[in-house]
Structures are given as structure tokens and as C-alpha cells.
Amino acid sequence: MAIKNKIGLVLSGGGARGAYEVGVLKFIREKLYRDIGVKVKFDIFCGTSIGAINACYLAATAISPQRGLQELIDVWLSMRFEDVVQFGLQQLLRTPRLLLGDLPFYRDREGRLGGLLNTMPLERLVMDQIPWSGIRQGLQHGLFEAISVTATDVMSGLSTVFIERRDLSVPLWSRDRQIITRPTRIRPEHALASAAIPVLFPAIMIEGRYYTDGGVRQNTPISPALRLGANKLLVIGLRHEEKSPQSLPAENVSNLSRFPGLPFIIGKILNALLLDHLDYDLDRLKRFNTLLEGGKIVYGPDFENKINGVLLPMRQASYRHVEAVAIRPSVDLGYIASLQAKNGRFSKNNKGILARYLKHTAISQDAVDADLLSYLLFDADYARDLIELGYQDAANKQDELARLFLEDIQE
């Protein structure tokens, strides 16, 4: 018996790297749709950090997904670095107090706390460009079933999964004490809190508590998609699969001749904080699929129901076969960011303190790593490169994607 597909879209965190996710979706909505001849539909949207913002945009425009995606692409391609992230004299003077922990100095009327950078332009972009009422309308009309946004509670350090479904209910969840679920109406503050890169972006207040980047504990939110009922997953990661000196052009590889600068160190810290468990999560899915398939061979087709009858009360979720397609950058996004920062057009369009400092770092840094740049470079030229890369990486997995959207799962 065929089980109806419930396809979950899982979008990862990574700041300005999020344009890559849009490129993958562009291929699916355009080329894949024409090739396989079926309507591409996502039933569950799950996002963390910049992935949360992208997920909210897609869910809010589910009534017209093709047009909504094009509008999202247009937003990315209209960005100018200094119109999105700002660092001026005011932020420079406040930096020592932030680093020394004088947080009350940073609390403002809008409920933001801390943050080295002024992200008000980015916040206005999120609030003004996303048709937030569309999320509720899409749920009411059955265009999709659920959306989740993951953020991190600053005081407790716990992951909080904000969930919106039609009836505002929350399905059975894990008993993991590090994860809290909150039924809610998803609003701009949830997406902005999820995308608040630690230290760099201010934490956002929601219902009296401060939240920061969800990627600190759950950078690729596969678990919420499964708990919300997905039996198929499209997972888009933002980390290069084989990030090593061997994967980059030889002429750009060199040994460190001096201790790396602050941007290099901050980039590595962000990579450590926004740890990606994608490989581990995908391996777990494969092991569970193998276990279920083997159990049916040995114990018969009713094995899955019997094992879930025993385990469901203990783990608050059933085991089921889940097919997943993961797409990740084939090129180091830090390397692409470095090339863009060295581009004369970037200097011409961005003349502020932060832009000049990042360009100087990109030029003078011996190491090829430009992780901090790759998180912060909200700029049209960089976004265009990532969209093109995402499109090509998705094209290289066209057969897997076609199966994901075409085939029902057999029980």
C-alpha cells in the first residue's frame, strides 16, 4: 500500500550563505518542474537562522510558490552590503562594553540585546518584504501543514522550536530536555531571533525572553521536520562537503606565515558554534531505514507496527522509512566570499568601516578561509554566485530529486 508523501523542506543556518538555498530551490521550481511534469509541493517548512527567514518567505507565498520564489530571489539580488549590515562609529565605541559584558547598555526599546553590528536594515527587510499573513492563509487553505523556526534561549541555552500548524497544536515530541517546543503564530521576531548570529547580531526578545541563533544547537533542523510528519526530506546544507586545502585551487593554498587576524578567528568560532550535524543525522536516517527493511524481511511486513507499539510510549515518536536528499555546496563558500570582497565593485559600492576592514582582511590574509565574510556578505554579487552554485549542485542531483517528488513510499 502506498503512503502519501509528506515532503519536508529543511533549510540550514549560515548568514549570507542562505542565497545558496534559493539557488537549489530555483532549479527545483524551474528546471525540475518542467522535466518531471509534476507540481513540486512542500508540506512542511523547517528553518534555522537564515534558513528560517527563507522558510518563512516560502511559506508566506505558498499560494503562488513560483512567484514567491522569484520575489525571494529578487530580494537577495537587490541587497547591498551596507544597506543590510552596518557598523559605524556608534557601534565601534560600544564594542568594548559589549566584550566586557556590560549588556544592559545594549538593551533597546525594540527588545534587542547586545550585538556588535547594527542589523536594523536587515530587520526592516524581513518585516517589510515577507507577507507574514500569508503563513496563516496557507495553513488555512491546506497549502502546507506546518512551519517551524528554531532559536536558542540565551539564558538557558536550550533550543526552542517555534511551531505553527492550522490548529496551533504540537505533535508528540522527544523527551530531550535540551529542546523546548512552542506553538505560536510565526512572526518576524521568530525569524529574526533564529537568525541572530551570536555576538555579531543582537538577541531578540520574544514573550519576555531573549533568543539568539538557532544554529547554536540545531543548525540543520531535520528532527522538527520528522516530528511534524515528513516521510521525505529535502535538506539543504550550507557547509562545503569536503572543506580542505585540497578542495581549493592550488594557487590559493598557502601555509600561515603569521597568527591569523580577528576575522579569521571569529569565522572559526562561528563555525564551531553553528555546528552542522547533517552527516550524523543523515547516517542515523539510513541506519533506521536499514533496520526497518531488515526487520520486515526477518519478521514480516507487520514488523514496523509491532516495534512502534513497544517504542512509541518511550520515545514519543514512531519509526518509519524516511527518504532524504541532501544538497550542499560543492565549492567552499568562504572562498567565493573572499573573491567577492576583493572585487573592485564591492569597494565602489561599500565604503564604510566594516566593508573596508573585511576587504583588507580578504586581501592580506594568507589563509584561504574567509568564513566570517561568508556569513556577513549580504551583497547582490555574492548572492548571485551562490544562487548559480546552488542551481548547478541541484542539477547534479536531478535524478534523486525527481524520485523524491515522484514516488510514493510503499508500505
Side-chain angles (χ1 to χ4, degrees), residues 290-409:
T290 301
L291 175 65
L292 293 175
E293 291 165 6
K296 290 178 181 179
I297 293 173
V298 176
Y299 299 105
D302 200 35
F303 171 76
E304 186 174 321
N305 291 332
K306 289 180 178 178
I307 196 70
N308 282 325
V310 175
L311 296 179
L312 182 59
M314 292 186 286
R315 65 185 301 269
Q316 301 298 306
S318 61
Y319 286 109
R320 62 187 181 278
H321 186 281
V322 177
E323 181 182 349
V325 175
I327 299 178
R328 287 175 289 188
S330 58
V331 178
D332 190 313
L333 302 189
Y335 174 63
I336 297 176
S338 178
L339 294 181
Q340 282 296 342
K342 296 173 186 177
N343 191 309
R345 187 164 53 250
F346 178 76
S347 300
K348 181 180 179 180
N349 294 334
N350 302 279
K351 302 182 183 299
I353 297 172
L354 183 60
R356 292 201 301 269
Y357 181 58
L358 291 177
K359 178 179 180 179
H360 170 76
T361 301
I363 293 173
S364 62
Q365 185 66 62
D366 286 339
V368 295
D369 295 85
D371 294 305
L372 179 60
L373 270 172
S374 72
Y375 284 106
L376 294 182
L377 203 58
F378 289 93
D379 199 72
D381 290 331
Y382 179 52
R384 184 174 292 105
D385 284 350
L386 298 197
I387 290 172
E388 291 175 358
L389 179 63
Y391 189 98
Q392 186 57 52
D393 287 344
N396 292 335
K397 291 200 172 186
Q398 176 168 336
D399 291 343
E400 292 180 54
L401 289 168
R403 287 194 298 271
L404 186 76
F405 289 100
L406 278 175
E407 297 177 357
D408 286 335
I409 294 175

Side-chain angles (χ1 to χ4, degrees), residues 151-284:
T152 303
D153 186 296
V154 171
M155 295 304 296
S156 68
L158 301 179
S159 285
T160 301
V161 184
F162 295 101
I163 299 167
E164 182 167 0
R165 303 169 82 195
R166 184 186 302 183
D167 59 359
L168 286 183
S169 65
V170 174
L172 290 174
W173 217 262
S174 77
R175 294 179 176 176
D176 186 346
R177 295 183 179 180
Q178 301 301 312
I179 298 176
I180 298 173
T181 56
R182 292 278 187 266
T184 189
R185 303 286 187 215
I186 299 295
R187 301 184 300 274
E189 56 265 36
H190 297 103
L192 290 169
S194 180
I197 300 174
V199 181
L200 298 178
F201 291 7
I204 304 295
M205 180 184 286
I206 301 174
E207 297 178 358
R209 299 189 68 85
Y210 283 102
Y211 294 88
T212 189
D213 202 307
V216 173
R217 284 189 173 272
Q218 195 177 80
N219 199 47
T220 305
I222 290 178
S223 177
L226 297 177
R227 297 286 180 177
L228 290 168
N231 54 23
K232 287 193 172 189
L233 298 176
L234 172 61
V235 185
I236 306 178
L238 297 178
R239 292 284 185 89
H240 178 41
E241 289 188 71
E242 298 178 356
K243 187 169 182 180
S244 67
Q246 288 75 26
S247 65
L248 299 172
E251 62 270 19
N252 293 303
V253 179
S254 61
N255 294 321
L256 288 173
S257 62
R258 62 180 182 273
F259 190 77
L262 183 61
F264 180 92
I265 299 299
I266 293 177
K268 295 305 176 188
I269 291 173
L270 286 177
N271 281 343
L273 283 174
L274 308 181
L275 187 61
D276 195 342
H277 295 285
L278 180 54
D279 287 322
Y280 173 75
D281 290 339
L282 292 175
D283 285 342
R284 286 187 66 194

